[in-house]
Amino acid sequence: MLVAGLVLGGAVAEKVIPGLGDAGVVTRWGLPISRMLMDLGGAVTVGALLAAVVLLPIEGGKNALRLSDDAIGYLRAASWCAAAWAAAAAATLVYTVADVLGQPVSDIITGSELSSYVGQLPQGTALMLVVLLAVVVALLARTTTTPGAAFGLMVMAGIALLPAPLTGHSASAANHSVAVTGVALHVAAVAPWVGGLAMLVVHASLGKGRLDIMASRFSRMALWCYIIVGASGLVNVISRLPDPAELVNTDYGRLALGKIVAFGILGWFGWMHRERTLPAVAERKPLAFARLATVEVAVMAATMGLAVALARTAPPPPTTEESPIKGLIGFDLPAKITPARLASLWTFDLFFAALVVALAGLYIAGVVRLRRRGDSWSAGRTAAWFFGLLTIVAVTETGVARYAPILFSVHMVQHMVLSMLSPIFLVMGAPVTLALRALKPAKIRGDRGPREWLTATLHSRTLAVIAHPAVATIIFVASTFVLYFTPLFESAMRNHLGHIAMMLHFLLSGSLFFWVLIGVDPAPKKLPYPARILLLFVTMPFHAFFGIALMNMSQPIAEGWYRAVLPPWGTSILKDQHTGGAIAWAFGEIPTFIVLIVLACQWFLDDQRLAKREDRKADAAEARQEEDELSAYNARLAKLAERDEKSRPS
């Protein structure tokens, strides 16, 4: 399928462009083949780690958790797969440099171009990162034996999947903000789906035990992977082919259409697994699974071949000329800012839209499960959670997100809301408490399901350090100064991934800080209420200092970026920055007031609960004392009666 896609899409046809060199036939074929091997190596590595940590039950009980012998085997297999993954990524790196420079591979290997251009090319940097992370996974998987360490390796392998695809067509698509997030979701769902199924086929072929457990767990995960892959793939196609006719009359569209057909076939295989294969596996018929799954793996591999061929095929060029501003921010320059446009000029940010939908769906699912079980859940917490999500939508999906890349003042509104308003209400929603109550314990004694992994995370040393009040405060305060008073801010504004990371950091750092202050969820360390109020009053002035510093600066921050996107109707860059500083200075009063009210209510209710608890203890002690006195009195009467009985003449 890879070869067919490359030939039909014209990716391996010789292109003679005057003035530009040709990398040669070796690079034209070697680059997509090495890229396919890299993708397969990454998927199989993630699948092997998934089989070791998630699909196979963990043994040893609560105090002596260990991986089973089969899990250790998959962990060691992941080491070899990661080594092959790193080798394929290194080969892809060499071919990529040769392709970009238009020079034969032999010249790249023997010359100094490889070391010179790796750090200058986004694709080179991304592939170098993949090589390094894959090597780390390969080395550590040789010696790792604990479930926690294996889980960490699985997360690291998942991160290593992302850099390479995110520097391809997605980064240069017309709507790159949607395309980049779509590709990230696509890859994050494809790898465990493909790799996990490959490991199931291996497990069934070797005749090992617990196939029914592995198949059942994989089936539940695969359904969600299928949904995410389908949704993200649809978003990617729309972002590159806005005209449906391009699916038929362009090479890129025809390859995309073939991938859609293969995806539909995979959905049919998944339905067959649920209806026929899983019952057969439960009846101890592993060959029934192996036969069907082997064909499914072949279709998956063919689909990945088409995907690599699609990545090597140029999408159709835009029908209209793209403005420089649109190339930078992903959309045309909006009209002059007004309150009405801020509220009505909606912008679709796929990352935060998917985040809000996922958080809302999981929360609703938890509440519904509690209600079906007959348990109650506070309506106030539910309202707080959804109000927090609404504030995220208000600054990421509306006109605020449209004007934030071009006006520092509007960006500062985004920052303040995401770091100092949304987290307050999200923390008050108590999502961790809801998850601990709603999630079911693992069916197998000693195993780790989602609830056990969440509990282990809450008791981990890493979280104890990060959630320490001093550390959480430093992250919340210092990161703001480091971001804006270093080149980091301009770098984040110029790169969509960096922009997402910046916005997500605002949300997470704020959630961590306010969890320490007003969180009702279990935490490694709980401060007394006077200390919480003191910490609030010590921390908030730093944001005022930050705002004053912005207002007094004579040199604009990220001047190069804001000059490139400066709207003709806007004010001067420095004046807009001073406005942003005033917003940062004034906004701090809002969260301070809200948190003080919440702390006062929590302190009052906590005192009420403590008083009731003390009253119950006192009542119980008094009851025990009265009971003891009554017992002693009855015993005394009994002794007197016994003595009188003995003293009577017979």
Side-chain angles (χ1 to χ4, degrees):
M1 291 303 297
L2 173 65
V3 172
L6 292 173
V7 173
L8 294 175
V12 292
E14 184 177 2
K15 300 177 181 65
V16 180
I17 302 176
L20 296 180
D22 182 18
V25 66
V26 175
T27 298
R28 285 198 296 272
W29 283 99
L31 179 55
I33 290 175
S34 62
R35 181 63 182 265
M36 184 186 69
L37 294 175
M38 182 184 73
D39 292 346
L40 288 174
V44 175
T45 301
V46 171
L49 293 170
L50 188 74
V53 181
V54 177
L55 301 183
L56 280 169
I58 295 172
E59 300 177 347
K62 183 177 180 180
N63 298 322
L65 290 174
R66 67 175 186 273
L67 297 174
S68 64
D69 293 339
D70 288 339
I72 294 292
Y74 287 122
L75 200 57
R76 301 298 178 257
S79 175
W80 290 105
C81 294
W85 182 16
T92 306
L93 174 60
V94 174
Y95 285 122
T96 299
V97 175
D99 183 60
V100 171
L101 298 181
Q103 297 181 10
V105 175
S106 56
D107 294 348
I108 298 298
I109 295 175
T110 57
S112 59
E113 288 83 358
L114 188 61
S115 58
S116 301
Y117 283 89
V118 164
Q120 300 179 23
L121 297 173
Q123 300 96 324
T125 305
L127 288 169
M128 199 65 211
L129 185 61
V130 174
V131 172
L132 293 175
L133 291 176
V135 168
V136 171
V137 172
L139 294 176
L140 296 182
R142 299 294 302 170
T143 57
T144 297
T145 57
T146 62
F151 186 84
L153 289 180
M154 185 177 67
V155 173
M156 184 182 295
I159 294 173
L161 293 168
L162 299 177
L166 293 180
T167 53
H169 292 320
S170 59
S172 58
N175 193 353
H176 56 268
S177 62
V178 174
V180 166
T181 305
V183 167
L185 291 173
H186 202 72
V187 172
V190 164
W193 184 23
V194 175
L197 182 60
M199 291 302 107
L200 280 181
V201 173
V202 171
H203 198 83
S205 302
L206 296 177
K208 295 186 177 182
R210 295 183 170 177
L211 178 62
D212 54 337
I213 297 175
M214 293 182 67
S216 177
R217 293 181 176 182
F218 173 79
S219 179
R220 292 194 296 271
M221 182 196 73
L223 176 61
W224 290 106
C225 289
Y226 187 83
I227 294 172
I228 295 172
V229 168
S232 59
L234 182 62
V235 167
N236 290 330
V237 170
I238 293 174
S239 66
R240 293 173 176 83
L241 303 174
D243 185 1
E246 292 177 331
L247 282 171
V248 180
N249 55 28
T250 64
D251 292 334
Y252 189 91
R254 285 188 285 269
L255 289 177
L257 193 59
K259 190 179 174 185
I260 292 172
V261 172
F263 179 76
I265 295 174
L266 289 175
W268 177 81
F269 274 111
W271 177 79
M272 289 288 290
H273 277 308
R274 282 182 171 270
E275 294 296 318
R276 300 183 182 182
T277 310
L278 290 182
V281 171
E283 296 174 2
R284 300 294 189 269
K285 297 177 181 178
L287 290 180
F289 176 84
R291 284 193 298 269
L292 185 62
T294 302
V295 180
E296 185 177 355
V297 167
V299 176
M300 279 185 170
T303 308
M304 293 188 72
L306 273 176
V308 173
L310 196 64
R312 290 294 299 159
T313 305
T319 55
T320 58
E321 186 177 353
E322 185 178 285
S323 64
I325 295 291
K326 188 173 182 179
L328 289 173
I329 63 178
F331 46 82
D332 291 321
L333 196 66
K336 186 177 180 179
I337 185 171
T338 63
R341 291 193 177 106
L342 283 173
S344 61
L345 201 61
W346 286 86
T347 304
F348 181 62
D349 188 307
L350 179 59
F351 178 83
F352 283 101
L355 179 66
V356 168
V357 169
L359 292 178
L362 290 172
Y363 201 92
I364 291 174
V367 173
V368 169
R369 176 172 287 185
L370 288 183
R371 295 288 172 83
R372 287 178 177 176
R373 203 167 62 197
D375 295 338
S376 61
W377 182 254
S378 169
R381 291 181 179 178
T382 304
W385 178 261
F386 281 95
F387 184 79
L389 295 181
L390 183 62
T391 60
I392 297 176
V393 172
V395 295
T396 60
E397 308 293 330
T398 62
V400 175
R402 183 70 63 122
Y403 288 95
I406 60 176
L407 294 175
F408 183 83
S409 56
V410 181
H411 164 80
M412 191 52 61
V413 172
Q414 265 191 333
H415 177 173
M416 292 295 107
V417 171
L418 289 177
S419 67
M420 301 178 68
L421 187 62
S422 302
I424 294 176
F425 295 97
L426 294 179
V427 166
M428 290 170 59
V432 177
T433 302
L434 175 62
L436 290 173
R437 290 183 58 187
L439 290 172
K440 298 178 181 179
K443 294 181 179 180
I444 302 176
R445 185 179 180 85
D447 190 18
R448 274 189 179 179
R451 190 179 191 279
E452 288 73 21
W453 279 112
L454 178 58
T455 304
T457 302
L458 291 173
H459 292 89
S460 66
R461 295 181 181 178
T462 302
L463 187 64
V465 172
I466 296 175
H468 190 278
V471 177
T473 303
I474 291 173
I475 293 174
F476 183 61
V477 173
S479 60
T480 300
F481 289 88
V482 171
L483 173 67
Y484 288 100
F485 297 129
T486 66
L488 278 176
F489 177 64
E490 184 166 1
S491 300
M493 295 299 288
R494 289 186 177 276
N495 185 285
H496 184 66
L497 287 177
H499 187 261
I500 289 178
M502 176 176 63
M503 305 291 281
L504 192 60
H505 170 76
F506 294 155
L507 187 62
L508 293 178
S509 62
S511 299
L512 179 65
F513 176 72
F514 288 110
W515 179 31
V516 172
L517 277 183
I518 58 174
V520 296
D521 287 326
K525 184 177 180 61
K526 288 285 189 180
L527 287 176
Y529 286 100
R532 298 187 193 188
I533 295 176
L534 178 63
L535 181 61
L536 175 66
F537 283 115
V538 168
T539 303
M540 286 307 169
F542 284 99
H543 280 82
F545 297 154
F546 167 70
I548 294 172
L550 289 177
M551 295 167 64
N552 291 325
M553 289 184 68
S554 59
Q555 185 69 23
I557 294 175
E559 184 176 6
W561 168 260
Y562 284 110
R563 287 201 182 280
V565 299
L566 182 65
W569 44 261
T571 182
S572 68
I573 299 174
L574 193 59
K575 186 176 180 181
D576 184 62
Q577 180 177 301
H578 290 166
T579 304
I583 291 172
W585 172 67
F587 197 92
E589 305 297 329
I590 300 174
T592 302
F593 180 70
I594 296 174
V595 171
L596 277 177
I597 293 177
V598 173
L599 282 175
C601 294
Q602 288 180 343
W603 198 349
F604 173 77
L605 294 175
D606 189 63
D607 282 346
Q608 292 290 102
R609 287 192 295 267
L610 182 62
K612 290 180 180 179
R613 203 159 43 237
E614 294 297 328
D615 289 342
R616 285 196 297 269
K617 287 182 180 179
D619 292 341
E622 185 178 352
R624 284 195 301 270
Q625 183 178 0
E626 291 178 355
E627 184 178 350
D628 292 343
E629 290 177 354
L630 181 60
S631 298
Y633 179 71
N634 290 333
R636 212 167 32 248
L637 290 178
K639 287 182 179 180
L640 290 175
E642 183 179 356
R643 189 177 61 185
D644 291 343
E645 185 70 24
K646 290 181 179 179
S647 61
R648 285 179 186 176
S650 55

